[in-house]
Amino acid sequence: MKYLAIVLVVAGHAIEALRDVPAARTFYLFLYMFHMPVFIIVAGYFSRRFPSSPDKVRKLITQLVVPFIVFQLVYELLARFVGGSDVNLTLLDPYFLVWFLLALCAWRLSAPVWLRIRWPLAVAVAISLVAGLQDLPGVLETGRVLSLLPFFVLGMLCKPEYFVYLRRRGVRVLAVVVLVGGLVVASWAQSRMSMEWIFWRRSNDYLGVDNLTGTAMRMGMLACATILSAAFFAVVPSRRMWFTSLGAVTMYVYLLHGIPVKLSTYLGWYDHPALHSNLGVAAVALAGIVLALLLSTPPVRAVTHWAIEPGMKWAFRPRRRTPGS
C-alpha cells in the first residue's frame, strides 16, 4: 500500500506542469482526490502505537524534524539559485512537499488525544469543516494540518480485519468500478472545479463560495476521498510482491523526487511542445513511476541516509531503565 501510494504521489507531481492538457488535469484531479488521504490513512494506521513508544522524542526528531529542516532548505535553495525565485529562507513556511513532515509531526503529537476521547473521527471531521470557515495562517501549513486530520484519525482507528474485508472478491470488483467511476467524474469535473479544492489549504471565502456551500463541498470531498481510498486499498495485491519491501523506504522517494521535478521545471524541460499532448502526459507519468523505483534503490538510500534517516545517537541521552524493567 505504501509503495503504490508513493508511486501515485510521484506521478501526480511529475505531470503537474502539464495541466493545460485536459488528460493531465483529469489524471491530476483524480489522483489528488485520494493519493494523499491514502498516504495519511496508512501513516495513522502505523501511528497507533506511537503514544506508547519508548522512543517518541527520538523518532519525531530523526524521522520528521531533521528531514524537514534539511529538505526545506534544499527546496528553498533550489528555488532561489536555480529557479530564480525570491524565496526567503524560513522554517515557518513549508515549501513544496515538506509540509507533510510537519503535519505528520503534529498529528503524531496529538495521537494520545484521539485514543482517549469518544467519537474521535466525528471530532476530527468537525475540526476539518471548521478549518474551511476562515482564513488560517500559512505558517506551518495550519490549514492542511487541520483539514486532513480526519484521514489520520481514521487510520488510527483502522484494524487489520478492515483491510481483510476489503480484499474479498466482491469488494474488489466493486472497488474497480468505483475507481473507474472516479476517473470518469474527474474527467467531467476537471474543467468545472477549481484545483485549489484538492490541496485542502484554502478557506471557503478564498474559493469563492459561501460557508454553507463550502462546508457541503468539503463534506463531499471527505466522503469521496475516503471511498476512493478504500477502493485503492481493495485493489492492492494481498500477496507479497517484488516491490512490497520498498514500502519501508517511501520517505526517500517522497523527499527526493521533488528535486528532479523542480529542476525540470526551472530548466524549462516541461516547455517542450511534445510533452503537452496526451502521449507526452503518459510518457511523463511513466517517467515518474520509473523515478519512484530508482529512488528506492540501495545506492540512493546509502547516499541520502544521513538526511532522511539520521541516527543522531550523539544528540540523545541514554534511556534510564526503571526498576523491574
Side-chain angles (χ1 to χ4, degrees), residues 120-133 146 149-150 218 222:
L121 187 56
V123 172
V125 169
I127 291 173
S128 178
L129 297 179
V130 170
L133 300 179
L146 298 180
L149 175 62
R218 184 166 286 222
L222 287 170

Short mmCIF file of all heavy atoms in Angstrom, two decimals, residues 120-133 146 149-150 218 222:
data_model
loop_
_atom_site.label_atom_id
_atom_site.label_comp_id
_atom_site.label_asym_id
_atom_site.label_seq_id
_atom_site.Cartn_x
_atom_site.Cartn_y
_atom_site.Cartn_z
N PRO A 120 -13.79 10.11 18.23
CA PRO A 120 -12.63 10.86 17.70
C PRO A 120 -12.78 11.25 16.24
O PRO A 120 -12.38 12.35 15.84
CB PRO A 120 -11.46 9.88 17.91
CG PRO A 120 -12.10 8.53 18.00
CD PRO A 120 -13.42 8.75 18.66
N LEU A 121 -13.37 10.35 15.42
CA LEU A 121 -13.48 10.67 13.99
C LEU A 121 -14.47 11.81 13.78
O LEU A 121 -14.23 12.70 12.95
CB LEU A 121 -13.93 9.42 13.22
CG LEU A 121 -13.93 9.57 11.69
CD1 LEU A 121 -12.56 9.99 11.18
CD2 LEU A 121 -14.36 8.27 11.03
N ALA A 122 -15.56 11.82 14.52
CA ALA A 122 -16.53 12.90 14.40
C ALA A 122 -15.92 14.24 14.80
O ALA A 122 -16.15 15.27 14.15
CB ALA A 122 -17.76 12.61 15.26
N VAL A 123 -15.12 14.23 15.85
CA VAL A 123 -14.45 15.45 16.29
C VAL A 123 -13.46 15.93 15.23
O VAL A 123 -13.38 17.13 14.92
CB VAL A 123 -13.72 15.22 17.64
CG1 VAL A 123 -12.86 16.43 18.01
CG2 VAL A 123 -14.73 14.92 18.74
N ALA A 124 -12.69 14.99 14.65
CA ALA A 124 -11.71 15.35 13.62
C ALA A 124 -12.40 15.92 12.39
O ALA A 124 -11.92 16.89 11.78
CB ALA A 124 -10.87 14.13 13.24
N VAL A 125 -13.54 15.35 12.00
CA VAL A 125 -14.29 15.86 10.85
C VAL A 125 -14.80 17.27 11.14
O VAL A 125 -14.74 18.16 10.29
CB VAL A 125 -15.46 14.92 10.50
CG1 VAL A 125 -16.40 15.58 9.49
CG2 VAL A 125 -14.94 13.60 9.94
N ALA A 126 -15.29 17.48 12.35
CA ALA A 126 -15.78 18.81 12.74
C ALA A 126 -14.65 19.84 12.66
O ALA A 126 -14.85 20.96 12.17
CB ALA A 126 -16.37 18.77 14.15
N ILE A 127 -13.46 19.46 13.11
CA ILE A 127 -12.31 20.36 13.04
C ILE A 127 -11.98 20.69 11.59
O ILE A 127 -11.70 21.84 11.23
CB ILE A 127 -11.10 19.74 13.74
CG1 ILE A 127 -11.33 19.67 15.26
CG2 ILE A 127 -9.82 20.51 13.44
CD1 ILE A 127 -10.26 18.92 16.02
N SER A 128 -12.03 19.69 10.73
CA SER A 128 -11.75 19.90 9.31
C SER A 128 -12.75 20.85 8.68
O SER A 128 -12.38 21.74 7.90
CB SER A 128 -11.76 18.55 8.57
OG SER A 128 -11.55 18.72 7.19
N LEU A 129 -14.02 20.68 9.01
CA LEU A 129 -15.05 21.55 8.45
C LEU A 129 -14.91 22.99 8.94
O LEU A 129 -15.06 23.94 8.17
CB LEU A 129 -16.44 21.01 8.80
CG LEU A 129 -16.80 19.63 8.23
CD1 LEU A 129 -18.18 19.21 8.68
CD2 LEU A 129 -16.71 19.63 6.71
N VAL A 130 -14.61 23.14 10.23
CA VAL A 130 -14.43 24.48 10.79
C VAL A 130 -13.22 25.16 10.17
O VAL A 130 -13.20 26.38 9.97
CB VAL A 130 -14.29 24.41 12.33
CG1 VAL A 130 -13.86 25.76 12.91
CG2 VAL A 130 -15.60 23.96 12.96
N ALA A 131 -12.18 24.36 9.83
CA ALA A 131 -10.97 24.93 9.23
C ALA A 131 -11.27 25.64 7.91
O ALA A 131 -10.54 26.56 7.51
CB ALA A 131 -9.93 23.83 9.00
N GLY A 132 -12.32 25.21 7.23
CA GLY A 132 -12.66 25.84 5.96
C GLY A 132 -13.46 27.12 6.10
O GLY A 132 -13.69 27.82 5.12
N LEU A 133 -13.87 27.44 7.32
CA LEU A 133 -14.71 28.61 7.52
C LEU A 133 -13.93 29.91 7.62
O LEU A 133 -14.52 30.99 7.59
CB LEU A 133 -15.55 28.44 8.81
CG LEU A 133 -16.50 27.23 8.85
CD1 LEU A 133 -17.23 27.19 10.18
CD2 LEU A 133 -17.49 27.28 7.69
N LEU A 146 -5.11 20.79 9.78
CA LEU A 146 -6.46 20.63 10.35
C LEU A 146 -7.42 20.00 9.35
O LEU A 146 -8.26 19.17 9.71
CB LEU A 146 -6.99 21.98 10.81
CG LEU A 146 -6.19 22.68 11.91
CD1 LEU A 146 -6.83 24.01 12.27
CD2 LEU A 146 -6.09 21.80 13.15
N LEU A 149 -6.79 16.19 8.91
CA LEU A 149 -6.75 15.45 10.17
C LEU A 149 -7.66 14.22 10.18
O LEU A 149 -7.27 13.17 10.72
CB LEU A 149 -7.10 16.39 11.32
CG LEU A 149 -7.22 15.77 12.72
CD1 LEU A 149 -5.89 15.16 13.16
CD2 LEU A 149 -7.69 16.82 13.72
N PRO A 150 -8.90 14.28 9.63
CA PRO A 150 -9.77 13.10 9.70
C PRO A 150 -9.16 11.83 9.11
O PRO A 150 -9.43 10.72 9.60
CB PRO A 150 -11.01 13.53 8.90
CG PRO A 150 -11.04 15.01 9.04
CD PRO A 150 -9.59 15.43 9.03
N ARG A 218 -16.82 20.39 1.21
CA ARG A 218 -15.76 19.73 1.97
C ARG A 218 -16.22 18.38 2.50
O ARG A 218 -15.47 17.41 2.50
CB ARG A 218 -15.29 20.64 3.10
CG ARG A 218 -14.12 20.07 3.89
CD ARG A 218 -13.48 21.12 4.77
NE ARG A 218 -12.70 22.06 4.00
CZ ARG A 218 -11.49 22.51 4.37
NH1 ARG A 218 -10.95 22.08 5.48
NH2 ARG A 218 -10.85 23.37 3.62
N LEU A 222 -14.48 14.85 1.65
CA LEU A 222 -14.05 13.88 2.67
C LEU A 222 -14.63 12.51 2.38
O LEU A 222 -13.94 11.49 2.48
CB LEU A 222 -14.49 14.36 4.06
CG LEU A 222 -13.73 15.54 4.66
CD1 LEU A 222 -14.44 16.05 5.91
CD2 LEU A 222 -12.29 15.14 5.00
#
